[in-house]
PDB file of all heavy atoms in Angstrom:
ATOM      1  N   GLN A  69       0.814  -1.180   0.065  1.00 98.00           N
ATOM      2  CA  GLN A  69      -0.050   0.015   0.019  1.00 98.00           C
ATOM      3  C   GLN A  69       0.831   1.202   0.059  1.00 98.00           C
ATOM      4  O   GLN A  69       1.677   1.452   0.919  1.00 98.00           O
ATOM      5  CB  GLN A  69      -0.857  -0.049   1.194  1.00 98.00           C
ATOM      6  CG  GLN A  69      -1.982   1.179   1.180  1.00 98.00           C
ATOM      7  CD  GLN A  69      -3.154   0.940   2.230  1.00 98.00           C
ATOM      8  OE1 GLN A  69      -2.910   0.154   3.104  1.00 98.00           O
ATOM      9  NE2 GLN A  69      -4.262   1.552   2.024  1.00 98.00           N
ATOM     10  N   ALA A  70       0.798   2.076  -1.109  1.00 97.00           N
ATOM     11  CA  ALA A  70       1.382   3.332  -1.175  1.00 97.00           C
ATOM     12  C   ALA A  70       0.552   4.355  -0.602  1.00 97.00           C
ATOM     13  O   ALA A  70      -0.656   4.270  -0.567  1.00 97.00           O
ATOM     14  CB  ALA A  70       1.792   3.534  -2.594  1.00 97.00           C
ATOM     15  N   PRO A  71       1.070   5.564  -0.151  1.00 93.00           N
ATOM     16  CA  PRO A  71       0.329   6.622   0.281  1.00 93.00           C
ATOM     17  C   PRO A  71      -0.773   7.022  -0.526  1.00 93.00           C
ATOM     18  O   PRO A  71      -0.529   7.242  -1.804  1.00 93.00           O
ATOM     19  CB  PRO A  71       1.339   7.728   0.570  1.00 93.00           C
ATOM     20  CG  PRO A  71       2.710   6.969   0.802  1.00 93.00           C
ATOM     21  CD  PRO A  71       2.532   5.868  -0.097  1.00 93.00           C
ATOM     22  N   GLY A  72      -1.960   7.154  -0.131  1.00 95.00           N
ATOM     23  CA  GLY A  72      -3.104   7.670  -0.930  1.00 95.00           C
ATOM     24  C   GLY A  72      -3.734   6.546  -1.880  1.00 95.00           C
ATOM     25  O   GLY A  72      -4.487   6.927  -2.675  1.00 95.00           O
ATOM     26  N   LYS A  73      -3.114   5.316  -1.877  1.00 97.00           N
ATOM     27  CA  LYS A  73      -3.539   4.451  -2.760  1.00 97.00           C
ATOM     28  C   LYS A  73      -4.206   3.119  -1.938  1.00 97.00           C
ATOM     29  O   LYS A  73      -3.922   2.926  -0.699  1.00 97.00           O
ATOM     30  CB  LYS A  73      -2.489   3.784  -3.619  1.00 97.00           C
ATOM     31  CG  LYS A  73      -1.956   4.939  -4.574  1.00 97.00           C
ATOM     32  CD  LYS A  73      -0.995   4.456  -5.628  1.00 97.00           C
ATOM     33  CE  LYS A  73      -0.488   5.444  -6.583  1.00 97.00           C
ATOM     34  NZ  LYS A  73       0.447   4.888  -7.557  1.00 97.00           N
ATOM     35  N   GLN A  74      -4.986   2.327  -2.620  1.00 97.00           N
ATOM     36  CA  GLN A  74      -5.519   1.152  -2.060  1.00 97.00           C
ATOM     37  C   GLN A  74      -4.427   0.090  -1.948  1.00 97.00           C
ATOM     38  O   GLN A  74      -3.434   0.053  -2.630  1.00 97.00           O
ATOM     39  CB  GLN A  74      -6.650   0.555  -2.877  1.00 97.00           C
ATOM     40  CG  GLN A  74      -7.902   1.552  -2.833  1.00 97.00           C
ATOM     41  CD  GLN A  74      -9.164   0.814  -3.531  1.00 97.00           C
ATOM     42  OE1 GLN A  74      -8.985   0.056  -4.503  1.00 97.00           O
ATOM     43  NE2 GLN A  74     -10.349   1.077  -2.973  1.00 97.00           N
ATOM     44  N   ARG A  75      -4.576  -0.859  -0.988  1.00 97.00           N
ATOM     45  CA  ARG A  75      -3.731  -2.022  -0.864  1.00 97.00           C
ATOM     46  C   ARG A  75      -3.897  -2.862  -2.115  1.00 97.00           C
ATOM     47  O   ARG A  75      -4.994  -3.185  -2.588  1.00 97.00           O
ATOM     48  CB  ARG A  75      -3.970  -2.794   0.393  1.00 97.00           C
ATOM     49  CG  ARG A  75      -2.949  -3.929   0.705  1.00 97.00           C
ATOM     50  CD  ARG A  75      -3.162  -4.467   2.135  1.00 97.00           C
ATOM     51  NE  ARG A  75      -3.102  -3.330   3.185  1.00 97.00           N
ATOM     52  CZ  ARG A  75      -3.059  -3.615   4.578  1.00 97.00           C
ATOM     53  NH1 ARG A  75      -3.255  -4.920   4.905  1.00 97.00           N
ATOM     54  NH2 ARG A  75      -2.891  -2.691   5.416  1.00 97.00           N
ATOM     55  N   GLU A  76      -2.710  -3.345  -2.719  1.00 98.00           N
ATOM     56  CA  GLU A  76      -2.864  -4.139  -3.945  1.00 98.00           C
ATOM     57  C   GLU A  76      -2.032  -5.407  -3.808  1.00 98.00           C
ATOM     58  O   GLU A  76      -1.045  -5.472  -3.126  1.00 98.00           O
ATOM     59  CB  GLU A  76      -2.315  -3.321  -5.135  1.00 98.00           C
ATOM     60  CG  GLU A  76      -0.880  -2.983  -5.000  1.00 98.00           C
ATOM     61  CD  GLU A  76      -0.366  -2.256  -6.361  1.00 98.00           C
ATOM     62  OE1 GLU A  76      -1.232  -2.122  -7.329  1.00 98.00           O
ATOM     63  OE2 GLU A  76       0.816  -1.900  -6.385  1.00 98.00           O
ATOM     64  N   LEU A  77      -2.363  -6.428  -4.553  1.00 98.00           N
ATOM     65  CA  LEU A  77      -1.743  -7.669  -4.646  1.00 98.00           C
ATOM     66  C   LEU A  77      -0.386  -7.462  -5.179  1.00 98.00           C
ATOM     67  O   LEU A  77      -0.122  -6.847  -6.241  1.00 98.00           O
ATOM     68  CB  LEU A  77      -2.388  -8.632  -5.428  1.00 98.00           C
ATOM     69  CG  LEU A  77      -1.759 -10.016  -5.806  1.00 98.00           C
ATOM     70  CD1 LEU A  77      -1.548 -10.830  -4.642  1.00 98.00           C
ATOM     71  CD2 LEU A  77      -2.469 -10.708  -6.953  1.00 98.00           C
ATOM     72  N   VAL A  78       0.778  -7.992  -4.577  1.00 98.00           N
ATOM     73  CA  VAL A  78       2.042  -8.170  -5.135  1.00 98.00           C
ATOM     74  C   VAL A  78       2.136  -9.458  -5.742  1.00 98.00           C
ATOM     75  O   VAL A  78       2.581  -9.809  -6.831  1.00 98.00           O
ATOM     76  CB  VAL A  78       3.130  -7.790  -4.146  1.00 98.00           C
ATOM     77  CG1 VAL A  78       4.517  -8.055  -4.688  1.00 98.00           C
ATOM     78  CG2 VAL A  78       2.856  -6.316  -3.662  1.00 98.00           C
ATOM     79  N   ALA A  79       2.206 -10.536  -4.818  1.00 98.00           N
ATOM     80  CA  ALA A  79       2.290 -11.991  -5.139  1.00 98.00           C
ATOM     81  C   ALA A  79       1.690 -12.879  -3.965  1.00 98.00           C
ATOM     82  O   ALA A  79       1.884 -12.477  -2.814  1.00 98.00           O
ATOM     83  CB  ALA A  79       3.859 -12.325  -5.400  1.00 98.00           C
ATOM     84  N   ILE A  80       1.297 -13.899  -4.372  1.00 98.00           N
ATOM     85  CA  ILE A  80       0.772 -15.015  -3.480  1.00 98.00           C
ATOM     86  C   ILE A  80       1.358 -16.269  -3.974  1.00 98.00           C
ATOM     87  O   ILE A  80       1.568 -16.508  -5.105  1.00 98.00           O
ATOM     88  CB  ILE A  80      -0.686 -15.057  -3.317  1.00 98.00           C
ATOM     89  CG1 ILE A  80      -1.413 -15.299  -4.650  1.00 98.00           C
ATOM     90  CG2 ILE A  80      -1.304 -13.739  -2.641  1.00 98.00           C
ATOM     91  CD1 ILE A  80      -2.897 -15.415  -4.519  1.00 98.00           C
ATOM     92  N   ILE A  81       1.357 -17.262  -2.893  1.00 98.00           N
ATOM     93  CA  ILE A  81       1.853 -18.574  -3.303  1.00 98.00           C
ATOM     94  C   ILE A  81       1.107 -19.573  -2.334  1.00 98.00           C
ATOM     95  O   ILE A  81       1.041 -19.192  -1.052  1.00 98.00           O
ATOM     96  CB  ILE A  81       3.439 -18.763  -3.144  1.00 98.00           C
ATOM     97  CG1 ILE A  81       3.877 -20.070  -3.454  1.00 98.00           C
ATOM     98  CG2 ILE A  81       3.827 -18.423  -1.611  1.00 98.00           C
ATOM     99  CD1 ILE A  81       5.467 -20.168  -3.598  1.00 98.00           C
ATOM    100  N   SER A  82       0.668 -20.678  -2.943  1.00 96.00           N
ATOM    101  CA  SER A  82      -0.016 -21.658  -2.096  1.00 96.00           C
ATOM    102  C   SER A  82       0.888 -22.623  -1.542  1.00 96.00           C
ATOM    103  O   SER A  82       2.140 -22.719  -1.934  1.00 96.00           O
ATOM    104  CB  SER A  82      -1.138 -22.366  -2.982  1.00 96.00           C
ATOM    105  OG  SER A  82      -0.329 -23.284  -3.921  1.00 96.00           O
ATOM    106  N   SER A  83       0.309 -23.415  -0.680  1.00 94.00           N
ATOM    107  CA  SER A  83       1.292 -24.575  -0.005  1.00 94.00           C
ATOM    108  C   SER A  83       1.715 -25.379  -1.007  1.00 94.00           C
ATOM    109  O   SER A  83       2.757 -26.159  -0.853  1.00 94.00           O
ATOM    110  CB  SER A  83       0.635 -25.087   1.252  1.00 94.00           C
ATOM    111  OG  SER A  83      -0.711 -25.482   0.899  1.00 94.00           O
ATOM    112  N   GLY A  84       0.919 -25.554  -2.125  1.00 94.00           N
ATOM    113  CA  GLY A  84       1.277 -26.543  -3.188  1.00 94.00           C
ATOM    114  C   GLY A  84       2.360 -25.885  -4.138  1.00 94.00           C
ATOM    115  O   GLY A  84       2.853 -26.597  -5.035  1.00 94.00           O
ATOM    116  N   GLY A  85       2.626 -24.674  -4.032  1.00 94.00           N
ATOM    117  CA  GLY A  85       3.531 -23.928  -4.843  1.00 94.00           C
ATOM    118  C   GLY A  85       2.988 -23.181  -5.962  1.00 94.00           C
ATOM    119  O   GLY A  85       3.815 -22.484  -6.756  1.00 94.00           O
ATOM    120  N   GLY A  86       1.759 -23.113  -6.184  1.00 97.00           N
ATOM    121  CA  GLY A  86       1.049 -22.304  -7.221  1.00 97.00           C
ATOM    122  C   GLY A  86       1.393 -20.797  -6.808  1.00 97.00           C
ATOM    123  O   GLY A  86       1.231 -20.377  -5.768  1.00 97.00           O
ATOM    124  N   THR A  87       1.655 -20.083  -7.973  1.00 98.00           N
ATOM    125  CA  THR A  87       1.843 -18.511  -7.606  1.00 98.00           C
ATOM    126  C   THR A  87       1.007 -17.653  -8.509  1.00 98.00           C
ATOM    127  O   THR A  87       0.469 -18.106  -9.523  1.00 98.00           O
ATOM    128  CB  THR A  87       3.298 -18.230  -7.966  1.00 98.00           C
ATOM    129  OG1 THR A  87       3.563 -18.420  -9.340  1.00 98.00           O
ATOM    130  CG2 THR A  87       4.281 -18.991  -7.090  1.00 98.00           C
ATOM    131  N   ASN A  88       0.774 -16.398  -8.105  1.00 98.00           N
ATOM    132  CA  ASN A  88       0.071 -15.508  -8.804  1.00 98.00           C
ATOM    133  C   ASN A  88       0.782 -14.154  -8.457  1.00 98.00           C
ATOM    134  O   ASN A  88       1.054 -13.779  -7.378  1.00 98.00           O
ATOM    135  CB  ASN A  88      -1.421 -15.380  -8.442  1.00 98.00           C
ATOM    136  CG  ASN A  88      -2.242 -14.409  -9.343  1.00 98.00           C
ATOM    137  OD1 ASN A  88      -1.853 -14.342 -10.517  1.00 98.00           O
ATOM    138  ND2 ASN A  88      -3.245 -13.858  -8.811  1.00 98.00           N
ATOM    139  N   TYR A  89       1.018 -13.301  -9.566  1.00 98.00           N
ATOM    140  CA  TYR A  89       1.760 -11.934  -9.498  1.00 98.00           C
ATOM    141  C   TYR A  89       0.783 -10.832  -9.793  1.00 98.00           C
ATOM    142  O   TYR A  89       0.188 -10.944 -10.803  1.00 98.00           O
ATOM    143  CB  TYR A  89       2.858 -11.982 -10.222  1.00 98.00           C
ATOM    144  CG  TYR A  89       3.941 -12.901  -9.652  1.00 98.00           C
ATOM    145  CD1 TYR A  89       4.172 -14.220 -10.121  1.00 98.00           C
ATOM    146  CD2 TYR A  89       5.051 -12.490  -8.782  1.00 98.00           C
ATOM    147  CE1 TYR A  89       5.125 -15.100  -9.623  1.00 98.00           C
ATOM    148  CE2 TYR A  89       5.934 -13.324  -8.335  1.00 98.00           C
ATOM    149  CZ  TYR A  89       6.070 -14.611  -8.680  1.00 98.00           C
ATOM    150  OH  TYR A  89       7.064 -15.468  -8.205  1.00 98.00           O
ATOM    151  N   GLY A  90       1.035  -9.724  -9.243  1.00 98.00           N
ATOM    152  CA  GLY A  90       0.368  -8.528  -9.664  1.00 98.00           C
ATOM    153  C   GLY A  90       1.009  -8.195 -11.055  1.00 98.00           C
ATOM    154  O   GLY A  90       2.222  -8.416 -11.214  1.00 98.00           O
ATOM    155  N   ASP A  91       0.309  -7.487 -11.928  1.00 97.00           N
ATOM    156  CA  ASP A  91       0.787  -7.109 -13.242  1.00 97.00           C
ATOM    157  C   ASP A  91       2.039  -6.321 -13.249  1.00 97.00           C
ATOM    158  O   ASP A  91       2.971  -6.494 -14.064  1.00 97.00           O
ATOM    159  CB  ASP A  91      -0.271  -6.511 -14.163  1.00 97.00           C
ATOM    160  CG  ASP A  91      -1.491  -7.460 -14.412  1.00 97.00           C
ATOM    161  OD1 ASP A  91      -1.128  -8.702 -14.418  1.00 97.00           O
ATOM    162  OD2 ASP A  91      -2.468  -7.046 -14.900  1.00 97.00           O
ATOM    163  N   THR A  92       2.103  -5.362 -12.273  1.00 97.00           N
ATOM    164  CA  THR A  92       3.242  -4.441 -12.220  1.00 97.00           C
ATOM    165  C   THR A  92       4.473  -5.012 -11.660  1.00 97.00           C
ATOM    166  O   THR A  92       5.651  -4.356 -11.931  1.00 97.00           O
ATOM    167  CB  THR A  92       2.899  -3.244 -11.319  1.00 97.00           C
ATOM    168  OG1 THR A  92       2.618  -3.706 -10.059  1.00 97.00           O
ATOM    169  CG2 THR A  92       1.653  -2.443 -11.890  1.00 97.00           C
ATOM    170  N   VAL A  93       4.488  -6.205 -11.136  1.00 98.00           N
ATOM    171  CA  VAL A  93       5.705  -6.818 -10.700  1.00 98.00           C
ATOM    172  C   VAL A  93       6.291  -8.078 -11.464  1.00 98.00           C
ATOM    173  O   VAL A  93       7.300  -8.625 -11.127  1.00 98.00           O
ATOM    174  CB  VAL A  93       5.693  -7.110  -9.273  1.00 98.00           C
ATOM    175  CG1 VAL A  93       5.272  -5.866  -8.426  1.00 98.00           C
ATOM    176  CG2 VAL A  93       4.705  -8.284  -8.914  1.00 98.00           C
ATOM    177  N   LYS A  94       5.386  -8.505 -12.386  1.00 98.00           N
ATOM    178  CA  LYS A  94       5.689  -9.737 -13.076  1.00 98.00           C
ATOM    179  C   LYS A  94       7.208  -9.548 -13.752  1.00 98.00           C
ATOM    180  O   LYS A  94       7.293  -8.554 -14.379  1.00 98.00           O
ATOM    181  CB  LYS A  94       4.611 -10.016 -14.172  1.00 98.00           C
ATOM    182  CG  LYS A  94       3.298 -10.491 -13.503  1.00 98.00           C
ATOM    183  CD  LYS A  94       2.304 -10.803 -14.617  1.00 98.00           C
ATOM    184  CE  LYS A  94       1.081 -11.372 -14.001  1.00 98.00           C
ATOM    185  NZ  LYS A  94      -0.115 -11.632 -15.001  1.00 98.00           N
ATOM    186  N   GLY A  95       7.987 -10.483 -13.681  1.00 97.00           N
ATOM    187  CA  GLY A  95       9.236 -10.578 -14.340  1.00 97.00           C
ATOM    188  C   GLY A  95      10.311  -9.914 -13.514  1.00 97.00           C
ATOM    189  O   GLY A  95      11.531 -10.000 -13.727  1.00 97.00           O
ATOM    190  N   ARG A  96       9.839  -9.105 -12.408  1.00 98.00           N
ATOM    191  CA  ARG A  96      10.919  -8.508 -11.626  1.00 98.00           C
ATOM    192  C   ARG A  96      10.937  -9.194 -10.139  1.00 98.00           C
ATOM    193  O   ARG A  96      11.953  -9.165  -9.414  1.00 98.00           O
ATOM    194  CB  ARG A  96      10.510  -7.002 -11.457  1.00 98.00           C
ATOM    195  CG  ARG A  96      10.560  -6.345 -12.737  1.00 98.00           C
ATOM    196  CD  ARG A  96      10.401  -4.779 -12.643  1.00 98.00           C
ATOM    197  NE  ARG A  96       9.158  -4.452 -11.985  1.00 98.00           N
ATOM    198  CZ  ARG A  96       9.059  -3.674 -10.823  1.00 98.00           C
ATOM    199  NH1 ARG A  96      10.048  -3.362 -10.178  1.00 98.00           N
ATOM    200  NH2 ARG A  96       7.752  -3.421 -10.395  1.00 98.00           N
ATOM    201  N   PHE A  97       9.734  -9.532  -9.683  1.00 98.00           N
ATOM    202  CA  PHE A  97       9.696 -10.179  -8.304  1.00 98.00           C
ATOM    203  C   PHE A  97       9.499 -11.651  -8.372  1.00 98.00           C
ATOM    204  O   PHE A  97       8.776 -12.022  -9.321  1.00 98.00           O
ATOM    205  CB  PHE A  97       8.476  -9.395  -7.531  1.00 98.00           C
ATOM    206  CG  PHE A  97       8.749  -8.061  -7.134  1.00 98.00           C
ATOM    207  CD1 PHE A  97       9.727  -7.260  -7.790  1.00 98.00           C
ATOM    208  CD2 PHE A  97       7.795  -7.451  -6.386  1.00 98.00           C
ATOM    209  CE1 PHE A  97       9.852  -5.852  -7.446  1.00 98.00           C
ATOM    210  CE2 PHE A  97       7.794  -6.098  -6.044  1.00 98.00           C
ATOM    211  CZ  PHE A  97       8.893  -5.341  -6.532  1.00 98.00           C
ATOM    212  N   THR A  98      10.030 -12.275  -7.369  1.00 98.00           N
ATOM    213  CA  THR A  98       9.850 -13.786  -7.352  1.00 98.00           C
ATOM    214  C   THR A  98       9.366 -14.113  -5.778  1.00 98.00           C
ATOM    215  O   THR A  98      10.050 -13.695  -4.801  1.00 98.00           O
ATOM    216  CB  THR A  98      11.198 -14.458  -7.685  1.00 98.00           C
ATOM    217  OG1 THR A  98      11.426 -14.123  -8.966  1.00 98.00           O
ATOM    218  CG2 THR A  98      10.888 -15.961  -7.660  1.00 98.00           C
ATOM    219  N   ILE A  99       8.283 -14.808  -5.744  1.00 98.00           N
ATOM    220  CA  ILE A  99       7.818 -15.260  -4.327  1.00 98.00           C
ATOM    221  C   ILE A  99       8.156 -16.731  -4.249  1.00 98.00           C
ATOM    222  O   ILE A  99       8.200 -17.452  -5.125  1.00 98.00           O
ATOM    223  CB  ILE A  99       6.342 -15.141  -4.259  1.00 98.00           C
ATOM    224  CG1 ILE A  99       5.930 -15.204  -2.738  1.00 98.00           C
ATOM    225  CG2 ILE A  99       5.488 -15.914  -5.163  1.00 98.00           C
ATOM    226  CD1 ILE A  99       4.430 -14.861  -2.492  1.00 98.00           C
ATOM    227  N   SER A 100       8.605 -17.098  -2.981  1.00 98.00           N
ATOM    228  CA  SER A 100       8.870 -18.379  -2.627  1.00 98.00           C
ATOM    229  C   SER A 100       8.476 -18.748  -1.184  1.00 98.00           C
ATOM    230  O   SER A 100       8.146 -17.710  -0.553  1.00 98.00           O
ATOM    231  CB  SER A 100      10.368 -18.713  -2.899  1.00 98.00           C
ATOM    232  OG  SER A 100      11.180 -17.945  -2.070  1.00 98.00           O
ATOM    233  N   ARG A 101       8.605 -20.017  -0.920  1.00 96.00           N
ATOM    234  CA  ARG A 101       8.166 -20.214   0.493  1.00 96.00           C
ATOM    235  C   ARG A 101       8.788 -21.507   1.071  1.00 96.00           C
ATOM    236  O   ARG A 101       9.420 -22.277   0.287  1.00 96.00           O
ATOM    237  CB  ARG A 101       6.718 -20.542   0.725  1.00 96.00           C
ATOM    238  CG  ARG A 101       6.088 -21.640  -0.102  1.00 96.00           C
ATOM    239  CD  ARG A 101       4.549 -21.628  -0.013  1.00 96.00           C
ATOM    240  NE  ARG A 101       4.130 -21.995   1.380  1.00 96.00           N
ATOM    241  CZ  ARG A 101       2.903 -21.807   1.836  1.00 96.00           C
ATOM    242  NH1 ARG A 101       2.053 -21.240   1.187  1.00 96.00           N
ATOM    243  NH2 ARG A 101       2.654 -22.124   3.183  1.00 96.00           N
ATOM    244  N   ASP A 102       8.868 -21.661   2.357  1.00 95.00           N
ATOM    245  CA  ASP A 102       9.485 -22.793   3.078  1.00 95.00           C
ATOM    246  C   ASP A 102       8.407 -23.302   3.928  1.00 95.00           C
ATOM    247  O   ASP A 102       8.134 -22.788   5.035  1.00 95.00           O
ATOM    248  CB  ASP A 102      10.650 -22.379   3.825  1.00 95.00           C
ATOM    249  CG  ASP A 102      11.322 -23.550   4.532  1.00 95.00           C
ATOM    250  OD1 ASP A 102      10.668 -24.540   4.771  1.00 95.00           O
ATOM    251  OD2 ASP A 102      12.608 -23.439   4.758  1.00 95.00           O
ATOM    252  N   ASN A 103       7.682 -24.410   3.446  1.00 92.00           N
ATOM    253  CA  ASN A 103       6.562 -24.889   4.379  1.00 92.00           C
ATOM    254  C   ASN A 103       6.993 -25.369   5.628  1.00 92.00           C
ATOM    255  O   ASN A 103       6.219 -25.309   6.623  1.00 92.00           O
ATOM    256  CB  ASN A 103       5.901 -26.052   3.500  1.00 92.00           C
ATOM    257  CG  ASN A 103       5.161 -25.460   2.270  1.00 92.00           C
ATOM    258  OD1 ASN A 103       4.710 -24.386   2.212  1.00 92.00           O
ATOM    259  ND2 ASN A 103       4.901 -26.298   1.270  1.00 92.00           N
ATOM    260  N   ALA A 104       8.208 -25.919   5.804  1.00 92.00           N
ATOM    261  CA  ALA A 104       8.611 -26.346   7.014  1.00 92.00           C
ATOM    262  C   ALA A 104       8.651 -25.305   8.152  1.00 92.00           C
ATOM    263  O   ALA A 104       8.605 -25.514   9.358  1.00 92.00           O
ATOM    264  CB  ALA A 104       9.914 -27.141   6.933  1.00 92.00           C
ATOM    265  N   LYS A 105       8.986 -24.055   7.673  1.00 92.00           N
ATOM    266  CA  LYS A 105       9.179 -22.965   8.494  1.00 92.00           C
ATOM    267  C   LYS A 105       8.024 -22.003   8.595  1.00 92.00           C
ATOM    268  O   LYS A 105       8.052 -20.997   9.210  1.00 92.00           O
ATOM    269  CB  LYS A 105      10.467 -22.067   8.066  1.00 92.00           C
ATOM    270  CG  LYS A 105      11.738 -22.944   8.160  1.00 92.00           C
ATOM    271  CD  LYS A 105      12.921 -22.010   7.734  1.00 92.00           C
ATOM    272  CE  LYS A 105      14.236 -22.699   7.876  1.00 92.00           C
ATOM    273  NZ  LYS A 105      15.478 -21.968   7.557  1.00 92.00           N
TER     274      LYS A 105
END
C-alpha cells in the first residue's frame, strides 16, 4: 500500500507452490516459501 492508494496484490503462493503475481511486478519479483518454517 502506497500513500493515498489502495492495498494491492504483489504476489501470493499456495502451500502447493502455485503462484500469482500482480501485473506491475511480473518478471521482476519472485515469491517463494518454506513450508517447514
Side-chain angles (χ1 to χ4, degrees):
Q69 188 166 18
K73 294 187 176 182
Q74 289 187 330
R75 192 170 295 189
E76 64 175 1
L77 167 72
V78 177
I80 56 174
I81 183 168
S82 71
S83 48
T87 60
N88 188 32
Y89 292 89
D91 289 340
T92 58
V93 306
K94 287 180 180 177
R96 299 188 297 124
F97 292 9
T98 302
I99 191 168
S100 61
R101 64 184 291 161
D102 184 335
N103 289 336
K105 297 180 179 179

